[in-house]
CSV table of all heavy atoms in Angstrom, one decimal:
chain,number,residue,atom,x,y,z
A,275,GLN,N,81.6,54.1,211.2
A,275,GLN,CA,82.0,52.8,211.7
A,275,GLN,C,82.2,51.7,210.4
A,275,GLN,O,83.1,51.0,210.4
A,275,GLN,CB,81.0,52.3,212.7
A,275,GLN,CG,81.4,51.1,213.4
A,275,GLN,CD,82.7,51.1,214.0
A,275,GLN,OE1,83.0,52.3,214.5
A,275,GLN,NE2,83.5,50.1,214.1
A,276,THR,N,81.2,51.7,209.6
A,276,THR,CA,81.2,50.7,208.5
A,276,THR,C,82.4,51.0,207.6
A,276,THR,O,83.0,50.0,207.1
A,276,THR,CB,80.0,50.7,207.7
A,276,THR,OG1,79.7,52.0,207.2
A,276,THR,CG2,78.8,50.1,208.5
A,277,LEU,N,82.8,52.2,207.4
A,277,LEU,CA,84.0,52.5,206.5
A,277,LEU,C,85.3,52.1,207.2
A,277,LEU,O,86.2,51.6,206.6
A,277,LEU,CB,84.0,53.9,206.2
A,277,LEU,CG,82.9,54.3,205.2
A,277,LEU,CD1,83.3,55.6,204.4
A,277,LEU,CD2,82.5,53.3,204.2
A,278,LYS,N,85.3,52.2,208.6
A,278,LYS,CA,86.4,51.7,209.2
A,278,LYS,C,86.6,50.2,209.1
A,278,LYS,O,87.6,49.6,208.9
A,278,LYS,CB,86.3,52.1,210.8
A,278,LYS,CG,86.7,53.4,211.0
A,278,LYS,CD,86.7,53.8,212.6
A,278,LYS,CE,86.7,55.3,212.9
A,278,LYS,NZ,86.2,55.6,214.1
A,279,MET,N,85.4,49.5,209.2
A,279,MET,CA,85.3,48.1,209.1
A,279,MET,C,85.9,47.6,207.6
A,279,MET,O,86.6,46.7,207.5
A,279,MET,CB,83.9,47.6,209.3
A,279,MET,CG,83.5,47.3,210.7
A,279,MET,SD,81.8,47.4,211.0
A,279,MET,CE,81.0,46.3,209.9
A,280,CYS,N,85.4,48.5,206.7
A,280,CYS,CA,85.7,48.2,205.3
A,280,CYS,C,87.2,48.3,205.0
A,280,CYS,O,87.8,47.6,204.3
A,280,CYS,CB,85.0,49.2,204.5
A,280,CYS,SG,85.2,49.0,202.7
A,281,MET,N,87.9,49.3,205.8
A,281,MET,CA,89.4,49.4,205.6
A,281,MET,C,90.2,48.5,206.5
A,281,MET,O,91.4,48.4,206.2
A,281,MET,CB,89.7,51.0,205.8
A,281,MET,CG,89.3,51.9,204.8
A,281,MET,SD,89.7,53.6,205.2
A,281,MET,CE,88.3,54.4,205.8
A,282,GLN,N,89.5,48.1,207.5
A,282,GLN,CA,90.3,47.4,208.6
A,282,GLN,C,91.1,46.2,208.0
A,282,GLN,O,90.6,45.4,207.2
A,282,GLN,CB,89.3,46.8,209.6
A,282,GLN,CG,89.9,46.4,210.9
A,282,GLN,CD,88.9,46.1,211.9
A,282,GLN,OE1,87.7,45.6,211.5
A,282,GLN,NE2,89.2,46.3,213.1
A,283,GLY,N,92.4,46.2,208.4
A,283,GLY,CA,93.3,45.1,208.0
A,283,GLY,C,93.7,45.1,206.5
A,283,GLY,O,94.4,44.2,206.0
A,284,ARG,N,93.3,46.2,205.9
A,284,ARG,CA,93.6,46.3,204.4
A,284,ARG,C,94.7,47.3,204.2
A,284,ARG,O,95.3,47.3,203.1
A,284,ARG,CB,92.2,46.6,203.6
A,284,ARG,CG,91.3,45.4,203.7
A,284,ARG,CD,89.9,45.7,203.1
A,284,ARG,NE,89.3,44.6,202.8
A,284,ARG,CZ,88.1,44.5,202.4
A,284,ARG,NH1,87.3,45.6,202.3
A,284,ARG,NH2,87.5,43.3,202.0
A,285,ILE,N,94.9,48.2,205.1
A,285,ILE,CA,95.8,49.3,204.8
A,285,ILE,C,97.1,48.9,205.7
A,285,ILE,O,97.0,48.8,206.9
A,285,ILE,CB,95.3,50.7,205.2
A,285,ILE,CG1,94.2,51.0,204.3
A,285,ILE,CG2,96.3,51.7,205.3
A,285,ILE,CD1,93.5,52.2,204.7
A,286,ASP,N,98.2,48.7,205.0
A,286,ASP,CA,99.4,48.2,205.6
A,286,ASP,C,100.4,49.5,205.6
A,286,ASP,O,101.1,49.7,204.5
A,286,ASP,CB,100.0,47.0,205.0
A,286,ASP,CG,101.2,46.5,205.7
A,286,ASP,OD1,101.9,47.3,206.4
A,286,ASP,OD2,101.5,45.3,205.6
A,287,ARG,N,100.5,50.2,206.6
A,287,ARG,CA,101.4,51.4,206.6
A,287,ARG,C,102.8,51.1,206.7
A,287,ARG,O,103.6,51.8,206.0
A,287,ARG,CB,101.0,52.3,207.7
A,287,ARG,CG,99.7,53.0,207.6
A,287,ARG,CD,99.4,53.8,208.9
A,287,ARG,NE,97.9,54.3,208.9
A,287,ARG,CZ,97.4,55.3,208.2
A,287,ARG,NH1,98.3,56.1,207.5
A,287,ARG,NH2,96.2,55.7,208.3
A,288,HIS,N,103.2,49.9,207.2
A,288,HIS,CA,104.7,49.6,207.2
A,288,HIS,C,105.1,49.3,205.8
A,288,HIS,O,106.1,49.8,205.5
A,288,HIS,CB,104.8,48.4,208.1
A,288,HIS,CG,104.6,48.8,209.5
A,288,HIS,ND1,105.4,49.7,210.2
A,288,HIS,CD2,103.8,48.4,210.5
A,288,HIS,CE1,104.9,49.9,211.4
A,288,HIS,NE2,104.0,49.0,211.6
A,289,GLU,N,104.4,48.5,205.2
A,289,GLU,CA,104.8,48.1,203.8
A,289,GLU,C,104.3,49.0,202.7
A,289,GLU,O,104.5,48.8,201.6
A,289,GLU,CB,104.2,46.7,203.5
A,289,GLU,CG,105.0,45.7,204.4
A,289,GLU,CD,104.9,44.3,203.9
A,289,GLU,OE1,104.7,44.1,202.7
A,289,GLU,OE2,105.2,43.4,204.8
A,290,HIS,N,103.7,50.1,203.1
A,290,HIS,CA,103.1,51.1,202.2
A,290,HIS,C,102.4,50.5,201.2
A,290,HIS,O,102.6,50.6,199.9
A,290,HIS,CB,104.3,52.0,201.6
A,290,HIS,CG,105.0,52.7,202.6
A,290,HIS,ND1,104.6,54.0,203.0
A,290,HIS,CD2,106.1,52.4,203.4
A,290,HIS,CE1,105.4,54.4,203.9
A,290,HIS,NE2,106.3,53.4,204.2
A,291,CYS,N,101.3,49.7,201.4
A,291,CYS,CA,100.5,49.2,200.4
A,291,CYS,C,99.1,48.9,201.1
A,291,CYS,O,98.8,48.8,202.1
A,291,CYS,CB,101.1,47.9,199.8
A,291,CYS,SG,101.2,46.6,200.9
A,292,ILE,N,98.2,48.6,200.1
A,292,ILE,CA,96.8,48.1,200.5
A,292,ILE,C,96.7,46.7,200.1
A,292,ILE,O,97.0,46.4,198.9
A,292,ILE,CB,95.8,49.1,199.7
A,292,ILE,CG1,95.9,50.6,200.3
A,292,ILE,CG2,94.4,48.7,199.9
A,292,ILE,CD1,95.2,51.6,199.5
A,293,LYS,N,96.2,46.0,201.0
A,293,LYS,CA,96.1,44.6,200.7
A,293,LYS,C,94.6,44.1,200.7
A,293,LYS,O,94.0,44.1,201.8
A,293,LYS,CB,96.8,43.7,201.7
A,293,LYS,CG,98.3,43.8,201.6
A,293,LYS,CD,99.0,43.0,202.7
A,293,LYS,CE,100.5,43.1,202.5
A,293,LYS,NZ,101.2,42.8,203.7
A,294,LEU,N,94.1,43.9,199.6
A,294,LEU,CA,92.7,43.4,199.4
A,294,LEU,C,92.8,41.9,199.2
A,294,LEU,O,93.1,41.4,198.2
A,294,LEU,CB,92.1,44.1,198.2
A,294,LEU,CG,91.9,45.6,198.3
A,294,LEU,CD1,91.5,46.2,197.0
A,294,LEU,CD2,90.9,46.0,199.5
A,295,GLY,N,92.5,41.3,200.4
A,295,GLY,CA,92.8,39.7,200.4
A,295,GLY,C,92.4,39.0,199.2
A,295,GLY,O,93.1,38.2,198.6
A,296,GLY,N,91.1,39.2,198.8
A,296,GLY,CA,90.5,38.5,197.6
A,296,GLY,C,91.2,38.7,196.3
A,296,GLY,O,91.0,38.0,195.3
A,297,LEU,N,92.1,39.7,196.2
A,297,LEU,CA,92.8,40.1,194.9
A,297,LEU,C,94.3,39.9,195.0
A,297,LEU,O,94.9,40.1,193.9
A,297,LEU,CB,92.4,41.5,194.6
A,297,LEU,CG,90.9,41.9,194.4
A,297,LEU,CD1,90.8,43.4,194.0
A,297,LEU,CD2,90.2,41.0,193.4
A,298,THR,N,94.8,39.6,196.1
A,298,THR,CA,96.2,39.4,196.2
A,298,THR,C,96.9,38.7,195.1
A,298,THR,O,97.9,39.0,194.5
A,298,THR,CB,96.7,38.9,197.6
A,298,THR,OG1,95.8,39.5,198.6
A,298,THR,CG2,98.1,39.2,197.9
A,299,HIS,N,96.2,37.4,194.9
A,299,HIS,CA,96.9,36.5,193.9
A,299,HIS,C,96.8,37.0,192.5
A,299,HIS,O,97.4,36.4,191.6
A,299,HIS,CB,96.2,35.2,194.1
A,299,HIS,CG,94.7,35.2,193.7
A,299,HIS,ND1,93.8,35.8,194.4
A,299,HIS,CD2,94.0,34.6,192.7
A,299,HIS,CE1,92.6,35.7,193.9
A,299,HIS,NE2,92.7,34.9,192.9
A,300,ILE,N,96.0,38.1,192.2
A,300,ILE,CA,95.8,38.5,190.8
A,300,ILE,C,96.3,39.9,190.6
A,300,ILE,O,96.1,40.5,189.6
A,300,ILE,CB,94.4,38.3,190.2
A,300,ILE,CG1,93.4,38.9,191.1
A,300,ILE,CG2,94.1,36.9,190.0
A,300,ILE,CD1,92.1,39.2,190.3
A,301,LEU,N,97.0,40.5,191.7
A,301,LEU,CA,97.2,42.0,191.6
A,301,LEU,C,98.2,42.3,190.5
A,301,LEU,O,98.0,43.3,189.8
A,301,LEU,CB,97.8,42.4,193.0
A,301,LEU,CG,97.5,43.9,193.3
A,301,LEU,CD1,96.0,44.2,193.3
A,301,LEU,CD2,98.0,44.2,194.7
A,302,ARG,N,99.2,41.4,190.3
A,302,ARG,CA,100.1,41.7,189.1
A,302,ARG,C,99.4,41.7,187.9
A,302,ARG,O,99.6,42.6,187.0
A,302,ARG,CB,101.3,40.7,189.2
A,302,ARG,CG,102.4,41.0,190.1
A,302,ARG,CD,103.4,39.8,190.1
A,302,ARG,NE,103.9,39.5,188.8
A,302,ARG,CZ,104.9,40.0,188.4
A,302,ARG,NH1,105.6,41.0,189.0
A,302,ARG,NH2,105.5,39.6,187.2
A,303,GLU,N,98.5,40.8,187.7
A,303,GLU,CA,97.7,40.7,186.5
A,303,GLU,C,96.8,41.9,186.3
A,303,GLU,O,96.7,42.5,185.2
A,303,GLU,CB,96.7,39.5,186.6
A,303,GLU,CG,96.3,38.8,185.3
A,303,GLU,CD,95.3,37.6,185.7
A,303,GLU,OE1,95.8,36.8,186.6
A,303,GLU,OE2,94.3,37.6,185.2
A,304,LEU,N,96.2,42.4,187.4
A,304,LEU,CA,95.4,43.6,187.4
A,304,LEU,C,96.1,44.9,187.0
A,304,LEU,O,95.7,45.7,186.4
A,304,LEU,CB,94.7,43.8,188.7
A,304,LEU,CG,93.5,42.9,189.0
A,304,LEU,CD1,93.0,43.3,190.3
A,304,LEU,CD2,92.4,43.0,188.1
A,305,THR,N,97.4,44.9,187.5
A,305,THR,CA,98.3,46.0,187.3
A,305,THR,C,98.5,46.1,185.7
A,305,THR,O,98.7,47.2,185.2
A,305,THR,CB,99.7,45.9,187.9
A,305,THR,OG1,99.5,45.4,189.2
A,305,THR,CG2,100.5,47.1,187.9
A,306,ARG,N,98.4,45.0,185.0
A,306,ARG,CA,98.7,45.0,183.5
A,306,ARG,C,97.2,45.1,182.7
A,306,ARG,O,97.3,44.9,181.6
A,306,ARG,CB,99.4,43.8,183.1
A,306,ARG,CG,100.8,43.8,183.6
A,306,ARG,CD,101.7,42.9,182.9
A,306,ARG,NE,101.1,41.5,182.8
A,306,ARG,CZ,101.2,40.6,183.6
A,306,ARG,NH1,102.0,40.6,184.6
A,306,ARG,NH2,100.6,39.4,183.3
A,307,THR,N,96.2,45.2,183.6
A,307,THR,CA,94.9,45.3,182.9
A,307,THR,C,94.8,46.4,181.9
A,307,THR,O,95.3,47.5,182.1
A,307,THR,CB,93.8,45.5,183.9
A,307,THR,OG1,93.7,44.3,184.7
A,307,THR,CG2,92.5,45.8,183.3
A,308,ARG,N,94.4,46.1,180.6
A,308,ARG,CA,94.3,47.3,179.6
A,308,ARG,C,93.1,48.0,179.8
A,308,ARG,O,93.0,49.2,179.4
A,308,ARG,CB,94.4,46.6,178.2
A,308,ARG,CG,95.7,46.2,177.8
A,308,ARG,CD,95.9,46.3,176.3
A,308,ARG,NE,94.7,45.8,175.6
A,308,ARG,CZ,94.8,45.0,174.5
A,308,ARG,NH1,96.0,44.5,174.2
A,308,ARG,NH2,93.7,44.6,173.9
Side-chain angles (χ1 to χ4, degrees):
Q275 191 53 34
T276 55
L277 293 199
K278 281 183 193 160
M279 279 154 50
C280 178
M281 289 185 255
Q282 200 170 25
R284 289 171 163 172
I285 292 174
D286 187 333
R287 288 177 193 275
H288 291 299
E289 295 201 14
H290 296 273
C291 66
I292 291 170
K293 290 182 176 155
L294 298 168
L297 301 183
T298 318
H299 63 295
I300 53 161
L301 209 56
R302 272 169 62 86
E303 208 181 304
L304 284 182
T305 314
R306 296 197 312 267
T307 288
R308 281 214 314 230

